[in-house]
Amino acid sequence: MAQGSLQAGQELVAALKAGWRPSPRPAPFHLPAGEVCYSQHAAQVSQLLEGDGTYLKKSTFGIGLVPFAMMATNAVGNSARKHRAAREAAPRFRPIDAGPLYLTNKRLAIQGQQWIDLWYDDIRMSYVDESAVTLELAGSTPVQLQTWPAYWVFAMLRFVAHGEIVELG
């Protein structure tokens, strides 16, 4: 599937180099004057966020061998819970929404539980891998759009947002 995404992106790049230009398509939502929609894709939106990092610490008190064994077991369990909580707290891309992704000449619009607008003027850096387009935005932590074909979406984004024809692969 990743190879298909890369191939679709490379075919788009070749077409753009040969002079092909995308045609606007109807959008199922209101667009302001001067804004046109070029494509629609299913997407999951993730954002680079830290986790909670809390864990349940268990305690046992008493005298004798049985409470001592329970205290030792709790100590081991607490250590494991603490390490798991530390891993969960580490920053990583965490899903925040999903829905149709619309690529327009002004923004990426995602119709999830609430509308998310990612304006091209706010994009400072963008890159792609097999399954996602990652955007580094002004005033926000990075956002990742898991979509297919990711390479095609990336190439079209760079073309309509910045007038660039990018090499892929």
Side-chain angles (χ1 to χ4, degrees), residues 54-78:
T54 60
Y55 68 98
L56 178 63
K57 184 176 180 178
K58 295 184 179 183
S59 301
T60 303
F61 299 100
I63 300 173
L65 291 178
V66 173
F68 178 75
M70 290 173 60
M71 287 173 22
T73 300
N74 281 342
V76 170
N78 285 339

Side-chain angles (χ1 to χ4, degrees), residues 45-46 96-98 100-102 107-119 137 143 145:
V45 183
S46 297
I96 59 168
D97 213 340
L101 162 69
Y102 301 96
R107 62 185 161 152
L108 295 168
I110 300 100
Q111 183 185 7
Q113 292 180 7
Q114 63 181 2
W115 281 93
I116 300 171
D117 292 316
L118 303 170
W119 298 95
L137 306 167
V143 171
L145 305 171

